[in-house]
Amino acid sequence: MIELFKELVDAVSSPVTIFTGAVVVFLLFVTFPRQAASKGGGLTLLFLVLAFFGVGLTDKHFRSIVSAPDNVPIVGMIFIFGYFTWYAMRKAVENDRRMEKGEPTVEQAETNDKVLVFPYLIFIEFVVALAYAVGLVLWSLFLKAPLEEPANPTVSPNPSKAPWYFLGLQEMLVYFDPWIAGVLLPTLIILGLCAIPYIDRDPGNSGFYCYQKRRLGIQVYLFGFWVLWILLIVVGTFLRGPNWNFFGPFERWDVHKVVPLVNVNLSDLLFIKWLGWGLPKEWYLREAPGILLIFTYLILPPAVLAKTVLKGLCKKLEPVRYSILMFLLLVMLSLPIKMYLRWAFNLKYLVAIPEFFFNI
Amino acid sequence: MNETSQAVPAKPQGSPPSGAEKIGRRKFLSWFGLAWVSFAAATTGALSIVLRYLFPNVIFEPPTNFKAGFPGDYEIGVVDERWKEKFGVWMVRSPEGLYALSTVCTHLGCTPNWLVNESKFKCPCHGSGFYKSGINFEGPAPRPLERYRVALAEDGQILVDKSRKFQQEKGEWNNPESFLPL
Ligand code: FES
């Protein structure tokens, strides 16, 4: 029975199914916040994850990966982040309910005065910091950080894994050029996060949790954080094995596993396969369609949306902030788009100019 | 008022000071200047030491030129890994001749592994794959592995010159120096 389950899980596991599954869970969570944030919803989710780990731990391979000292915190992270996401949603939903009935929110009911950061907030943070410090000390006492051989530039361990907090980036690098995934996207993530208060300047609904009135922000955040970051870390940690091949959770890490991954650039597809002309000599002719496509992608949707569905938003934010917001959102969406293009068409790069180390 | 104007030397143009105070401030400013000068000196000193530290006394870099034995040492069709560790070079003997491939992945610079059974180079970092010729065909690597200059030395040994690189995407593999016909 358990064997069957494990085989089934391995058989359906692939980057596509896992990613798509996560998107579905995300969509369910944000469309049915009430159910998801209820006690029953939370417990069901917790039970499912625990059951999966429980069954998984009977497997020797799964156990060895999950209990590797570097990976233990990632397991912890799944539970901690899961809990806090559920808890925040719970508070938001509670306030939504109250506001619907015209009652004051939990926070307003407590007091309508401003509360001082010191000592109220600082005190709580101090206690939490203490608890985490204790946790860190215990962790470092019981789980040893392994010392490996001296570094040698001509030997890369197989698989070579970045520190856990960078595994999301490493997973992104599978689909992107180093300049994009290693420099541009991280910079935009940080700048984008910094820009939030300047983009969303609406003072309403601040000071308390709520979901209905802040849907867009919360959904974008949950998608970016959970699906595009935490999920990629989890995949990179547990499911990427030798040669950075993908392995199911219970699959033995076979160094000789062969996965056909041959991929081609958009220019190859277009000029050789579809048109049958052969590649143009000059790089700007060769990459013109890709460049055009990128520009269309960045310009057309914001323009169309500003005139139609998002008319109100555009008016509220004014053109500059609206364009910045749209640009950030489109860049964020480009990651899943690029991933699906790779999976569906074996597409390597939309624009490939190796002559100038520039590939998108 | 007196105290404020002393405590804030950056704004000396406050109320007109009395005589006694003038000396006090001047003294203060000279101490202040001294402090700044010594602070700047100490910082410059520390920084220059840090800069010095960035340039090592001895560099353990393998020479860029090396002799790679005789052509007869290489078997046709085999990717030879004997120089990988020391010089970062794979020697590949094709039926037509020899070429020297760089062991640096063109994606982010990890060192790929030669998989004999699958007959490909496979990078452990993000899964790029290269054919025996060095051409990239899977994963994110945007261009083929680079080749180095190979030539025959006077004593009949193969000379590999890592200071000269040949990149396929620039059409440089057609250069006769990138390939040693045998
Ligand atoms: S460094 Fe080789 S695939 Fe990224």
Side-chain angles (χ1 to χ4, degrees):
Chain A
M1 181 59 195
I2 285 183
E3 284 312 308
L4 193 72
F5 169 75
K6 290 199 280 193
E7 265 168 43
L8 203 74
V9 170
D10 279 346
V12 297
S13 296
S14 75
V16 200
T17 50
I18 299 243
F19 191 83
T20 314
V23 172
V24 171
V25 172
F26 159 77
L27 287 178
L28 285 177
F29 190 81
V30 296
T31 9
F32 302 107
R34 235 158 246 202
Q35 289 77 349
S38 67
K39 282 231 171 73
L43 284 177
T44 318
L45 277 177
L46 179 67
F47 174 76
L48 285 178
V49 178
L50 276 181
F52 183 79
F53 271 97
V55 172
L57 284 176
T58 60
D59 186 80
K60 215 168 109 241
H61 169 76
F62 186 88
R63 204 166 50 225
S64 71
I65 292 180
V66 172
S67 61
D70 338 16
N71 295 350
V72 170
I74 315 231
V75 179
M77 181 179 76
I78 298 177
F79 289 99
I80 293 175
F81 286 170
Y83 170 72
F84 281 117
T85 308
W86 171 81
Y87 189 61
M89 193 53 121
R90 190 172 170 73
K91 292 193 132 188
V93 165
E94 163 69 14
N95 278 344
D96 282 347
R97 198 181 52 78
R98 286 172 173 240
M99 284 195 292
E100 244 167 55
K101 285 202 218 144
E103 293 169 12
T105 61
V106 178
E107 289 82 356
Q108 285 165 346
E110 212 168 276
T111 167
N112 242 335
D113 298 335
K114 291 204 169 147
V115 186
L116 293 176
V117 168
F118 183 83
Y120 298 103
L121 178 65
I122 300 287
F123 180 73
I124 298 173
E125 287 179 346
F126 181 70
V127 172
V128 173
L130 274 185
Y132 268 83
V134 171
L136 276 179
V137 169
L138 287 181
W139 173 19
S140 62
L141 282 178
F142 288 113
L143 296 170
K144 296 276 175 271
L147 256 194
E148 294 172 11
E149 317 145 32
N152 178 348
T154 57
V155 178
S156 302
N158 193 5
S160 285
K161 293 203 176 182
W164 65 267
Y165 44 84
F166 275 155
L167 278 170
L169 274 187
Q170 190 169 0
E171 196 53 31
M172 267 151 75
L173 276 162
V174 173
Y175 305 94
F176 280 104
D177 177 270
W179 277 111
I180 305 276
V183 181
L184 186 75
L185 292 183
T187 314
L188 281 179
I189 292 174
I190 293 171
L191 288 182
L193 287 173
C194 298
I196 290 177
Y198 300 97
I199 292 174
D200 178 8
R201 297 199 297 188
D202 187 358
N205 310 320
S206 66
F208 51 85
Y209 285 89
C210 68
Y211 176 66
Q212 287 309 327
K213 301 234 166 106
R214 283 197 179 272
R215 257 185 323 222
L216 182 69
I218 293 176
Q219 285 168 0
V220 170
Y221 163 74
L222 283 181
F223 183 72
F225 184 68
W226 268 103
V227 183
L228 297 185
W229 192 249
I230 300 301
L231 177 76
L232 293 188
I233 289 181
V234 169
V235 168
T237 312
F238 299 127
L239 306 176
R240 289 290 187 178
N243 298 325
W244 210 249
N245 277 328
F246 183 90
F247 291 85
F250 308 110
E251 198 177 341
R252 201 172 53 84
W253 282 10
D254 179 4
V255 191
H256 297 292
K257 176 172 179 176
V258 182
V259 191
L261 291 171
V262 181
N263 53 21
V264 287
N265 293 325
L266 177 68
S267 45
D268 299 326
L269 273 181
L270 183 72
F271 288 109
I272 299 178
K273 199 166 164 206
W274 295 334
L275 294 176
W277 293 351
L279 280 187
K281 281 244 154 40
E282 310 292 344
W283 65 263
Y284 47 84
L285 289 180
R286 188 186 68 213
E287 302 308 333
I291 297 174
L292 207 72
L293 196 72
I294 301 279
F295 273 105
T296 326
Y297 170 71
L298 288 179
I299 292 169
L300 198 65
V304 171
L305 288 176
K307 291 270 172 296
T308 53
V309 191
L310 296 183
K311 214 173 193 169
L313 186 73
C314 179
K315 199 148 167 236
K316 186 171 150 201
L317 292 186
E318 291 150 26
V320 177
R321 281 188 285 146
Y322 172 79
S323 328
I324 293 178
L325 174 66
M326 281 297 140
F327 174 73
L328 291 171
L329 287 182
L330 284 172
V331 170
M332 178 170 154
L333 273 187
S334 73
L335 176 62
I337 292 180
K338 188 83 196 288
M339 289 161 85
Y340 276 109
L341 283 177
R342 175 73 64 82
W343 296 326
F345 303 107
N346 284 320
L347 184 88
K348 190 191 306 193
Y349 291 120
L350 291 161
V351 175
I353 317 178
E355 289 91 333
F356 299 110
F357 302 101
F358 182 81
N359 309 282
I360 300 175
Chain B
M1 193 61 223
N2 284 348
E3 269 163 34
T4 7
S5 64
Q6 269 199 345
V8 189
K11 283 186 188 165
Q13 69 274 53
S15 57
S18 67
E21 201 192 337
K22 214 179 214 166
I23 299 164
R25 178 159 69 207
R26 201 169 271 165
K27 221 174 176 180
F28 176 79
L29 278 182
S30 69
W31 278 113
F32 201 61
L34 191 66
W36 265 114
V37 169
S38 32
F39 175 70
T43 315
T44 325
L47 266 184
S48 58
I49 293 174
V50 170
L51 271 185
R52 172 65 190 78
Y53 168 78
L54 293 179
F55 298 93
N57 295 332
V58 209
I59 305 182
F60 296 100
E61 261 179 12
T64 50
N65 279 323
F66 70 98
K67 293 221 169 132
F70 295 95
D73 299 350
Y74 297 95
E75 222 177 295
I76 292 185
V78 170
V79 171
D80 194 287
E81 300 208 83
R82 76 183 83 168
W83 306 111
K84 180 182 174 186
E85 185 104 348
K86 202 157 167 218
F87 296 107
V89 169
W90 282 300
M91 301 295 287
V92 189
R93 173 76 159 94
S94 70
E96 293 81 36
L98 255 172
Y99 49 88
L101 279 179
S102 146
T103 60
V104 178
C105 178
T106 53
H107 181 229
L108 211 52
C110 291
T111 307
N113 298 305
W114 169 246
L115 307 182
V116 186
N117 296 333
E118 292 88 354
S119 192
K120 69 180 177 188
F121 300 101
K122 186 82 175 158
C123 186
C125 289
H126 316 95
S128 287
F130 306 86
Y131 292 128
K132 197 191 268 179
S133 59
I135 299 280
N136 53 323
F137 69 98
E138 64 181 8
R143 54 198 189 90
L145 295 174
E146 290 170 358
R147 291 186 182 182
Y148 294 125
R149 187 168 86 94
V150 273
L152 273 189
E154 274 126 49
D155 57 358
Q157 290 207 51
I158 301 161
L159 191 75
V160 179
D161 176 6
K162 288 178 62 185
S163 58
R164 278 282 274 133
K165 292 189 299 190
F166 299 96
Q167 293 169 235
Q168 189 267 349
E169 73 277 7
K170 293 190 179 159
E172 292 172 345
W173 284 8
N174 297 326
N175 191 315
E177 291 192 310
S178 70
F179 188 77
L180 185 65
L182 293 171

